[in-house]
Amino acid sequence: QVQLVESGGGLVQPGGSLRLSCAASGIAFNRWSMAWYRRAPGKQRELVATITSGGRTNYADSVKGRFTISKNNADNTMYLQMNSLKPEDTAVYYCNTDGGYVNWGQGTQVTVSS
């Protein structure tokens, strides 16, 4: 059974940084393309960043140049480094496979506000 646990969210001022973590069990990161998603209040879940099994990354235009996705295949952990945060980045952030093929975790809340 696949389990995804996101952590690292919080309240940060505009321009600040956060690092999100995703701990996974029951899935091998070296075999899957993984992704970070987010759902802002009143909006649908959107894809933020992806990383292939080989480490190739891709980003939504809204976060390009500010966010960095990375992973550690050895311990099945994925990260999202978020810099220069904006109020519009406020959302619940989730990790999953690219395409959202496994059960969703609880997510971690990121709030960007002064």
Side-chain angles (χ1 to χ4, degrees):
Q1 183 176 354
V2 177
Q3 186 175 17
L4 301 169
V5 180
E6 302 91 349
S7 63
L11 173 63
V12 63
Q13 292 186 343
S17 298
L18 283 174
R19 188 191 195 208
L20 306 184
S21 298
C22 169
S25 59
I27 187 170
F29 276 12
N30 62 354
R31 296 185 179 182
W32 287 86
S33 290
M34 299 298 296
W36 283 98
Y37 300 80
R38 67 186 181 187
R39 175 174 283 167
K43 295 186 178 181
Q44 292 189 339
R45 185 179 287 143
E46 65 171 338
L47 180 65
V48 174
T50 61
I51 185 166
T52 68
S53 56
R56 183 174 299 176
T57 60
N58 199 20
Y59 299 91
D61 287 344
S62 59
V63 307
K64 200 170 294 184
R66 301 187 297 121
F67 289 11
T68 303
I69 187 172
S70 62
K71 63 174 180 167
N72 184 331
N73 287 340
D75 63 7
N76 272 359
T77 306
M78 184 170 66
Y79 305 96
L80 186 68
Q81 177 67 44
M82 306 187 297
N83 299 327
S84 301
L85 282 162
K86 304 176 181 180
E88 51 263 44
D89 295 318
T90 295
V92 179
Y93 284 71
Y94 303 86
C95 61
N96 207 305
T97 62
D98 185 5
Y101 294 117
V102 301
N103 292 334
W104 293 92
Q106 294 298 310
T108 186
Q109 174 72 48
V110 172
T111 302
V112 185
S113 175
S114 55

